[in-house]
Amino acid sequence: MNQDLLGRVALITGAGAGIGKETALQMAARGATVCVNDLKEELVTPVVDEITARGGKAFAIVQNIASREGIRDAIRRSFELGGRFDILVNNAAWVRYQAIPEIAPETVDRMLDVGFKSVIWSLQEAVAVMDPERGGSIVNVASVAALRSAANSVVYSGIKAAILGITRAAAAELGAHNIRVNAVCPSAVPTEGTQRNRNAERDANRIARTPLGRLGTVEDIARSICFLASDDAGFITAQALTVDGGITLTNI
């Protein structure tokens, strides 16, 4: 793997499993110092250990990023541990699918805290610690649910659509600070976190409607995130990169 992120310091939220973990592994393999964030030490430590065993460099950031103080602390600690701060991947999410009559205030509050508010607070701290001469890259993990929605996904689809709005507005404002802001929109990707919402029949139906004939993988999404974070995407900002095998734009 190339070393296109050599010397960069990155924070990836929700990196104890799934897309976040794979992104941490790939960024470290590309030369970045990776700050691995999640809620619990038992989630973070194995990822840090795996990166270290592969010859990479990583730090554990055990922190609940669902508050302004939490995400700002995670970014600040990443800056202090790495000596600089270049890449932020807002990947953490807490997801529940519910029919409209069943949506509870506590569900909405937690999903907003993790998936929406933390992104806003992260922008504030990123501006404070990213060097305007070197610039920086922020990648927000959205979803194809921001573009096409299913039943029982009012809160999730609303938040992911809002992430695309945040991405565009932040890119417009932070370009003056030499900070690029983009989003990735994965389709259904098998992970530990999505297992409860998947079944064989649904997967088979999705595969049948996907031009590339398979489900996406965490590796697919992580490669896209690494691309947007790298200098190869140096003139790309305010974009939402749909990584879905073509299913979103080829089904009517």
Side-chain angles (χ1 to χ4, degrees):
M1 189 171 288
N2 65 43
Q3 294 285 290
D4 56 351
L5 299 179
L6 185 64
R8 313 286 173 86
V9 175
L11 169 68
I12 304 165
T13 68
I19 291 170
K21 175 182 177 180
E22 181 61 27
T23 302
L25 295 174
Q26 288 196 27
M27 283 197 175
R30 292 169 184 254
T33 296
V34 179
C35 297
V36 181
N37 162 256
D38 220 307
L39 278 170
K40 300 176 182 179
E41 187 172 343
E42 56 264 34
L43 294 172
V44 171
T45 299
V47 182
V48 172
D49 289 346
E50 185 171 348
I51 289 172
T52 303
R54 295 182 182 187
K57 187 174 182 180
F59 295 107
I61 305 287
V62 180
Q63 178 59 271
N64 182 356
I65 55 82
S67 69
R68 186 185 190 195
E69 295 74 19
I71 184 62
R72 292 178 77 174
D73 176 71
I75 292 173
R76 198 174 302 116
R77 284 164 58 193
S78 299
F79 173 75
E80 292 169 354
L81 289 166
R84 55 188 282 176
F85 189 74
D86 307 281
I87 299 166
L88 169 64
V89 180
N90 283 311
N91 168 72
W94 189 80
V95 180
R96 293 293 182 273
Y97 293 95
Q98 295 177 313
I100 290 171
E102 300 169 0
I103 297 171
E106 55 270 24
T107 300
V108 176
D109 289 344
R110 186 168 181 186
M111 288 179 70
L112 284 171
D113 285 344
V114 179
F116 178 81
K117 293 181 184 179
S118 70
V119 177
I120 295 174
W121 306 138
S122 76
L123 296 172
Q124 290 183 330
E125 193 64 24
V127 173
V129 299
M130 285 181 171
D131 186 327
E133 293 297 319
R134 285 195 302 261
S137 175
I138 298 171
V139 183
N140 299 320
V141 178
S143 167
V144 294
L147 308 170
R148 293 170 62 94
S149 299
N152 303 327
S153 70
V154 165
V155 182
Y156 180 71
S157 293
I159 288 172
K160 292 305 185 182
I163 292 303
L164 299 190
I166 290 173
T167 298
R168 291 189 299 269
E173 184 171 344
L174 299 186
H177 298 267
N178 204 17
I179 297 172
R180 297 182 297 106
V181 188
N182 292 289
V184 293
C185 296
S187 59
V189 174
T191 68
E192 300 92 327
T194 63
Q195 196 64 40
R196 70 168 68 87
N197 300 309
R198 295 173 49 247
N199 60 54
E201 181 181 356
R202 188 176 298 153
D203 284 352
N205 180 56
R206 186 174 283 113
I207 290 169
R209 294 184 292 114
T210 301
L212 292 184
R214 65 175 177 86
L215 295 178
T217 66
V218 292
E219 291 82 4
D220 291 323
I221 312 306
R223 280 192 291 268
S224 302
I225 293 170
C226 289
F227 163 69
L228 289 173
S230 76
D231 290 343
D232 284 344
F235 199 54
I236 298 175
T237 194
Q239 300 301 307
L241 179 59
T242 303
V243 189
D244 66 348
I247 189 171
T248 303
L249 294 181
T250 60
N251 285 266
I252 58 173

